[in-house]
PDB file of all heavy atoms in Angstrom:
ATOM      1  N   SER A  27      -5.014   5.821  -0.611  1.00 93.00           N
ATOM      2  CA  SER A  27      -6.291   5.564  -1.390  1.00 93.00           C
ATOM      3  C   SER A  27      -7.330   5.097  -0.479  1.00 93.00           C
ATOM      4  O   SER A  27      -7.165   4.211   0.373  1.00 93.00           O
ATOM      5  CB  SER A  27      -5.996   4.528  -2.440  1.00 93.00           C
ATOM      6  OG  SER A  27      -7.186   4.213  -3.139  1.00 93.00           O
ATOM      7  N   GLY A  28      -8.500   5.773  -0.479  1.00 91.00           N
ATOM      8  CA  GLY A  28      -9.637   5.365   0.287  1.00 91.00           C
ATOM      9  C   GLY A  28      -9.776   6.040   1.593  1.00 91.00           C
ATOM     10  O   GLY A  28     -10.783   5.895   2.274  1.00 91.00           O
ATOM     11  N   HIS A  29      -8.762   6.867   1.968  1.00 92.00           N
ATOM     12  CA  HIS A  29      -8.857   7.640   3.177  1.00 92.00           C
ATOM     13  C   HIS A  29      -9.618   8.860   2.975  1.00 92.00           C
ATOM     14  O   HIS A  29      -9.320   9.781   2.223  1.00 92.00           O
ATOM     15  CB  HIS A  29      -7.458   7.983   3.683  1.00 92.00           C
ATOM     16  CG  HIS A  29      -6.744   6.845   4.335  1.00 92.00           C
ATOM     17  ND1 HIS A  29      -5.590   7.041   5.147  1.00 92.00           N
ATOM     18  CD2 HIS A  29      -6.998   5.530   4.406  1.00 92.00           C
ATOM     19  CE1 HIS A  29      -5.259   5.899   5.576  1.00 92.00           C
ATOM     20  NE2 HIS A  29      -6.050   4.907   5.201  1.00 92.00           N
ATOM     21  N   ALA A  30     -10.765   8.984   3.719  1.00 90.00           N
ATOM     22  CA  ALA A  30     -11.723  10.060   3.597  1.00 90.00           C
ATOM     23  C   ALA A  30     -11.198  11.347   4.243  1.00 90.00           C
ATOM     24  O   ALA A  30     -11.541  12.449   3.856  1.00 90.00           O
ATOM     25  CB  ALA A  30     -13.068   9.670   4.214  1.00 90.00           C
ATOM     26  N   THR A  31     -10.371  11.193   5.307  1.00 91.00           N
ATOM     27  CA  THR A  31      -9.999  12.360   6.102  1.00 91.00           C
ATOM     28  C   THR A  31      -8.536  12.715   5.784  1.00 91.00           C
ATOM     29  O   THR A  31      -7.685  11.883   5.749  1.00 91.00           O
ATOM     30  CB  THR A  31     -10.129  11.981   7.550  1.00 91.00           C
ATOM     31  OG1 THR A  31     -11.395  11.539   7.850  1.00 91.00           O
ATOM     32  CG2 THR A  31      -9.916  13.291   8.404  1.00 91.00           C
ATOM     33  N   LEU A  32      -8.359  13.981   5.508  1.00 94.00           N
ATOM     34  CA  LEU A  32      -7.049  14.594   5.228  1.00 94.00           C
ATOM     35  C   LEU A  32      -6.712  15.692   6.083  1.00 94.00           C
ATOM     36  O   LEU A  32      -7.633  16.536   6.419  1.00 94.00           O
ATOM     37  CB  LEU A  32      -6.982  14.871   3.775  1.00 94.00           C
ATOM     38  CG  LEU A  32      -5.637  15.428   3.204  1.00 94.00           C
ATOM     39  CD1 LEU A  32      -5.461  15.052   1.742  1.00 94.00           C
ATOM     40  CD2 LEU A  32      -5.332  16.866   3.432  1.00 94.00           C
ATOM     41  N   TYR A  33      -5.566  15.833   6.660  1.00 95.00           N
ATOM     42  CA  TYR A  33      -5.109  16.820   7.550  1.00 95.00           C
ATOM     43  C   TYR A  33      -3.810  17.560   7.038  1.00 95.00           C
ATOM     44  O   TYR A  33      -2.975  16.840   6.497  1.00 95.00           O
ATOM     45  CB  TYR A  33      -4.679  16.183   8.953  1.00 95.00           C
ATOM     46  CG  TYR A  33      -5.674  15.235   9.543  1.00 95.00           C
ATOM     47  CD1 TYR A  33      -5.758  13.861   9.092  1.00 95.00           C
ATOM     48  CD2 TYR A  33      -6.471  15.602  10.620  1.00 95.00           C
ATOM     49  CE1 TYR A  33      -6.570  12.919   9.646  1.00 95.00           C
ATOM     50  CE2 TYR A  33      -7.392  14.620  11.195  1.00 95.00           C
ATOM     51  CZ  TYR A  33      -7.437  13.395  10.707  1.00 95.00           C
ATOM     52  OH  TYR A  33      -8.332  12.469  11.251  1.00 95.00           O
ATOM     53  N   TRP A  34      -3.770  18.747   7.341  1.00 97.00           N
ATOM     54  CA  TRP A  34      -2.499  19.471   7.181  1.00 97.00           C
ATOM     55  C   TRP A  34      -2.081  20.012   8.537  1.00 97.00           C
ATOM     56  O   TRP A  34      -2.885  20.597   9.298  1.00 97.00           O
ATOM     57  CB  TRP A  34      -2.724  20.776   6.233  1.00 97.00           C
ATOM     58  CG  TRP A  34      -2.747  20.426   4.774  1.00 97.00           C
ATOM     59  CD1 TRP A  34      -3.851  20.337   3.953  1.00 97.00           C
ATOM     60  CD2 TRP A  34      -1.617  20.098   3.898  1.00 97.00           C
ATOM     61  NE1 TRP A  34      -3.517  20.025   2.653  1.00 97.00           N
ATOM     62  CE2 TRP A  34      -2.126  19.926   2.642  1.00 97.00           C
ATOM     63  CE3 TRP A  34      -0.237  20.084   4.149  1.00 97.00           C
ATOM     64  CZ2 TRP A  34      -1.272  19.679   1.540  1.00 97.00           C
ATOM     65  CZ3 TRP A  34       0.592  19.812   3.100  1.00 97.00           C
ATOM     66  CH2 TRP A  34       0.049  19.553   1.772  1.00 97.00           C
ATOM     67  N   TYR A  35      -0.814  19.779   8.887  1.00 97.00           N
ATOM     68  CA  TYR A  35      -0.202  20.242  10.096  1.00 97.00           C
ATOM     69  C   TYR A  35       0.921  21.146   9.841  1.00 97.00           C
ATOM     70  O   TYR A  35       1.640  20.910   8.860  1.00 97.00           O
ATOM     71  CB  TYR A  35       0.292  19.030  10.923  1.00 97.00           C
ATOM     72  CG  TYR A  35      -0.740  18.111  11.533  1.00 97.00           C
ATOM     73  CD1 TYR A  35      -1.300  17.074  10.850  1.00 97.00           C
ATOM     74  CD2 TYR A  35      -1.316  18.429  12.786  1.00 97.00           C
ATOM     75  CE1 TYR A  35      -2.251  16.236  11.418  1.00 97.00           C
ATOM     76  CE2 TYR A  35      -2.227  17.576  13.420  1.00 97.00           C
ATOM     77  CZ  TYR A  35      -2.755  16.487  12.699  1.00 97.00           C
ATOM     78  OH  TYR A  35      -3.672  15.718  13.294  1.00 97.00           O
ATOM     79  N   GLN A  36       1.169  21.987  10.749  1.00 97.00           N
ATOM     80  CA  GLN A  36       2.358  22.869  10.710  1.00 97.00           C
ATOM     81  C   GLN A  36       3.249  22.423  11.919  1.00 97.00           C
ATOM     82  O   GLN A  36       2.763  22.423  13.024  1.00 97.00           O
ATOM     83  CB  GLN A  36       2.021  24.314  10.871  1.00 97.00           C
ATOM     84  CG  GLN A  36       3.256  25.178  10.842  1.00 97.00           C
ATOM     85  CD  GLN A  36       2.907  26.639  11.232  1.00 97.00           C
ATOM     86  OE1 GLN A  36       2.382  26.952  12.306  1.00 97.00           O
ATOM     87  NE2 GLN A  36       3.200  27.615  10.333  1.00 97.00           N
ATOM     88  N   GLN A  37       4.457  22.036  11.666  1.00 94.00           N
ATOM     89  CA  GLN A  37       5.400  21.675  12.728  1.00 94.00           C
ATOM     90  C   GLN A  37       6.557  22.580  12.769  1.00 94.00           C
ATOM     91  O   GLN A  37       7.441  22.519  12.029  1.00 94.00           O
ATOM     92  CB  GLN A  37       5.827  20.178  12.603  1.00 94.00           C
ATOM     93  CG  GLN A  37       6.664  19.675  13.836  1.00 94.00           C
ATOM     94  CD  GLN A  37       7.111  18.236  13.643  1.00 94.00           C
ATOM     95  OE1 GLN A  37       7.056  17.704  12.565  1.00 94.00           O
ATOM     96  NE2 GLN A  37       7.442  17.638  14.757  1.00 94.00           N
ATOM     97  N   ILE A  38       6.635  23.488  13.782  1.00 95.00           N
ATOM     98  CA  ILE A  38       7.687  24.387  13.951  1.00 95.00           C
ATOM     99  C   ILE A  38       8.799  23.674  14.731  1.00 95.00           C
ATOM    100  O   ILE A  38       8.497  22.903  15.619  1.00 95.00           O
ATOM    101  CB  ILE A  38       7.212  25.676  14.623  1.00 95.00           C
ATOM    102  CG1 ILE A  38       6.282  26.455  13.690  1.00 95.00           C
ATOM    103  CG2 ILE A  38       8.388  26.565  15.109  1.00 95.00           C
ATOM    104  CD1 ILE A  38       5.595  27.650  14.411  1.00 95.00           C
ATOM    105  N   LEU A  39      10.053  24.061  14.459  1.00 91.00           N
ATOM    106  CA  LEU A  39      11.105  23.262  15.136  1.00 91.00           C
ATOM    107  C   LEU A  39      11.014  23.379  16.637  1.00 91.00           C
ATOM    108  O   LEU A  39      10.773  24.392  17.245  1.00 91.00           O
ATOM    109  CB  LEU A  39      12.435  23.947  14.724  1.00 91.00           C
ATOM    110  CG  LEU A  39      13.706  23.290  15.174  1.00 91.00           C
ATOM    111  CD1 LEU A  39      13.896  21.946  14.494  1.00 91.00           C
ATOM    112  CD2 LEU A  39      14.913  24.196  14.816  1.00 91.00           C
ATOM    113  N   GLY A  40      11.060  22.179  17.199  1.00 88.00           N
ATOM    114  CA  GLY A  40      10.963  22.112  18.663  1.00 88.00           C
ATOM    115  C   GLY A  40       9.574  22.001  19.195  1.00 88.00           C
ATOM    116  O   GLY A  40       9.364  21.899  20.418  1.00 88.00           O
ATOM    117  N   GLN A  41       8.553  21.945  18.267  1.00 90.00           N
ATOM    118  CA  GLN A  41       7.201  21.761  18.781  1.00 90.00           C
ATOM    119  C   GLN A  41       6.512  20.534  18.108  1.00 90.00           C
ATOM    120  O   GLN A  41       7.087  20.062  17.148  1.00 90.00           O
ATOM    121  CB  GLN A  41       6.409  23.049  18.378  1.00 90.00           C
ATOM    122  CG  GLN A  41       6.986  24.341  19.077  1.00 90.00           C
ATOM    123  CD  GLN A  41       6.181  25.590  18.630  1.00 90.00           C
ATOM    124  OE1 GLN A  41       5.068  25.446  18.201  1.00 90.00           O
ATOM    125  NE2 GLN A  41       6.745  26.752  18.857  1.00 90.00           N
ATOM    126  N   GLY A  42       5.363  20.250  18.676  1.00 92.00           N
ATOM    127  CA  GLY A  42       4.591  19.148  18.011  1.00 92.00           C
ATOM    128  C   GLY A  42       3.780  19.737  16.864  1.00 92.00           C
ATOM    129  O   GLY A  42       3.653  20.910  16.682  1.00 92.00           O
ATOM    130  N   PRO A  43       3.312  18.827  16.050  1.00 94.00           N
ATOM    131  CA  PRO A  43       2.505  19.208  14.882  1.00 94.00           C
ATOM    132  C   PRO A  43       1.225  19.993  15.396  1.00 94.00           C
ATOM    133  O   PRO A  43       0.578  19.582  16.488  1.00 94.00           O
ATOM    134  CB  PRO A  43       2.047  17.912  14.258  1.00 94.00           C
ATOM    135  CG  PRO A  43       3.077  16.914  14.701  1.00 94.00           C
ATOM    136  CD  PRO A  43       3.450  17.402  16.062  1.00 94.00           C
ATOM    137  N   LYS A  44       0.886  21.058  14.771  1.00 95.00           N
ATOM    138  CA  LYS A  44      -0.336  21.888  15.018  1.00 95.00           C
ATOM    139  C   LYS A  44      -1.255  21.736  13.828  1.00 95.00           C
ATOM    140  O   LYS A  44      -0.864  22.034  12.674  1.00 95.00           O
ATOM    141  CB  LYS A  44       0.031  23.277  15.279  1.00 95.00           C
ATOM    142  CG  LYS A  44      -1.133  24.172  15.695  1.00 95.00           C
ATOM    143  CD  LYS A  44      -0.775  25.626  15.783  1.00 95.00           C
ATOM    144  CE  LYS A  44      -0.740  26.285  14.461  1.00 95.00           C
ATOM    145  NZ  LYS A  44      -0.582  27.800  14.584  1.00 95.00           N
ATOM    146  N   LEU A  45      -2.480  21.357  14.130  1.00 94.00           N
ATOM    147  CA  LEU A  45      -3.432  21.183  12.964  1.00 94.00           C
ATOM    148  C   LEU A  45      -3.782  22.533  12.395  1.00 94.00           C
ATOM    149  O   LEU A  45      -4.086  23.414  13.092  1.00 94.00           O
ATOM    150  CB  LEU A  45      -4.757  20.514  13.507  1.00 94.00           C
ATOM    151  CG  LEU A  45      -5.773  20.264  12.522  1.00 94.00           C
ATOM    152  CD1 LEU A  45      -5.367  19.205  11.496  1.00 94.00           C
ATOM    153  CD2 LEU A  45      -7.121  19.910  13.136  1.00 94.00           C
ATOM    154  N   LEU A  46      -3.632  22.572  11.054  1.00 96.00           N
ATOM    155  CA  LEU A  46      -4.104  23.788  10.301  1.00 96.00           C
ATOM    156  C   LEU A  46      -5.474  23.601   9.804  1.00 96.00           C
ATOM    157  O   LEU A  46      -6.380  24.457   9.918  1.00 96.00           O
ATOM    158  CB  LEU A  46      -3.115  24.046   9.167  1.00 96.00           C
ATOM    159  CG  LEU A  46      -1.708  24.499   9.542  1.00 96.00           C
ATOM    160  CD1 LEU A  46      -0.838  24.580   8.266  1.00 96.00           C
ATOM    161  CD2 LEU A  46      -1.786  25.796  10.226  1.00 96.00           C
ATOM    162  N   ILE A  47      -5.710  22.405   9.125  1.00 95.00           N
ATOM    163  CA  ILE A  47      -6.968  22.247   8.528  1.00 95.00           C
ATOM    164  C   ILE A  47      -7.243  20.678   8.411  1.00 95.00           C
ATOM    165  O   ILE A  47      -6.330  19.927   8.169  1.00 95.00           O
ATOM    166  CB  ILE A  47      -7.122  22.840   7.125  1.00 95.00           C
ATOM    167  CG1 ILE A  47      -8.583  22.868   6.581  1.00 95.00           C
ATOM    168  CG2 ILE A  47      -6.142  22.328   6.144  1.00 95.00           C
ATOM    169  CD1 ILE A  47      -8.772  23.771   5.391  1.00 95.00           C
ATOM    170  N   GLN A  48      -8.531  20.367   8.517  1.00 92.00           N
ATOM    171  CA  GLN A  48      -8.936  18.964   8.345  1.00 92.00           C
ATOM    172  C   GLN A  48     -10.110  18.928   7.372  1.00 92.00           C
ATOM    173  O   GLN A  48     -11.048  19.589   7.505  1.00 92.00           O
ATOM    174  CB  GLN A  48      -9.345  18.431   9.760  1.00 92.00           C
ATOM    175  CG  GLN A  48      -9.882  16.933   9.722  1.00 92.00           C
ATOM    176  CD  GLN A  48     -10.342  16.420  11.088  1.00 92.00           C
ATOM    177  OE1 GLN A  48      -9.824  17.004  12.127  1.00 92.00           O
ATOM    178  NE2 GLN A  48     -11.183  15.481  11.109  1.00 92.00           N
ATOM    179  N   PHE A  49      -9.978  18.016   6.392  1.00 93.00           N
ATOM    180  CA  PHE A  49     -10.975  17.701   5.377  1.00 93.00           C
ATOM    181  C   PHE A  49     -11.658  16.331   5.677  1.00 93.00           C
ATOM    182  O   PHE A  49     -10.927  15.434   6.008  1.00 93.00           O
ATOM    183  CB  PHE A  49     -10.359  17.712   3.985  1.00 93.00           C
ATOM    184  CG  PHE A  49      -9.907  19.017   3.493  1.00 93.00           C
ATOM    185  CD1 PHE A  49      -8.548  19.337   3.659  1.00 93.00           C
ATOM    186  CD2 PHE A  49     -10.803  19.918   2.858  1.00 93.00           C
ATOM    187  CE1 PHE A  49      -8.053  20.521   3.133  1.00 93.00           C
ATOM    188  CE2 PHE A  49     -10.262  21.100   2.365  1.00 93.00           C
ATOM    189  CZ  PHE A  49      -8.875  21.436   2.491  1.00 93.00           C
ATOM    190  N   GLN A  50     -12.882  16.310   5.500  1.00 90.00           N
ATOM    191  CA  GLN A  50     -13.575  15.028   5.357  1.00 90.00           C
ATOM    192  C   GLN A  50     -14.138  14.978   3.925  1.00 90.00           C
ATOM    193  O   GLN A  50     -15.076  15.690   3.557  1.00 90.00           O
ATOM    194  CB  GLN A  50     -14.768  14.903   6.374  1.00 90.00           C
ATOM    195  CG  GLN A  50     -15.566  13.664   6.317  1.00 90.00           C
ATOM    196  CD  GLN A  50     -14.890  12.512   6.840  1.00 90.00           C
ATOM    197  OE1 GLN A  50     -13.794  12.625   7.400  1.00 90.00           O
ATOM    198  NE2 GLN A  50     -15.462  11.314   6.734  1.00 90.00           N
ATOM    199  N   ASN A  51     -13.565  14.094   3.070  1.00 88.00           N
ATOM    200  CA  ASN A  51     -13.857  14.058   1.747  1.00 88.00           C
ATOM    201  C   ASN A  51     -13.430  15.434   1.153  1.00 88.00           C
ATOM    202  O   ASN A  51     -12.309  15.880   1.436  1.00 88.00           O
ATOM    203  CB  ASN A  51     -15.223  13.673   1.421  1.00 88.00           C
ATOM    204  CG  ASN A  51     -15.527  12.219   1.820  1.00 88.00           C
ATOM    205  OD1 ASN A  51     -14.758  11.312   1.443  1.00 88.00           O
ATOM    206  ND2 ASN A  51     -16.561  11.992   2.567  1.00 88.00           N
ATOM    207  N   ASN A  52     -14.321  16.206   0.515  1.00 86.00           N
ATOM    208  CA  ASN A  52     -13.924  17.503   0.067  1.00 86.00           C
ATOM    209  C   ASN A  52     -14.428  18.598   0.904  1.00 86.00           C
ATOM    210  O   ASN A  52     -14.368  19.767   0.437  1.00 86.00           O
ATOM    211  CB  ASN A  52     -14.263  17.637  -1.428  1.00 86.00           C
ATOM    212  CG  ASN A  52     -15.765  17.486  -1.655  1.00 86.00           C
ATOM    213  OD1 ASN A  52     -16.567  17.219  -0.706  1.00 86.00           O
ATOM    214  ND2 ASN A  52     -16.270  17.834  -2.867  1.00 86.00           N
TER     215      ASN A  52
END
Side-chain angles (χ1 to χ4, degrees):
Chain A
S27 177
H29 281 194
T31 309
L32 186 148
Y33 312 79
W34 282 103
Y35 289 91
Q36 180 191 58
Q37 186 179 18
I38 293 173
L39 186 65
Q41 299 180 19
K44 183 185 82 171
L45 180 69
L46 292 175
I47 189 167
Q48 177 180 338
F49 292 95
Q50 177 72 8
N51 295 310
N52 60 352

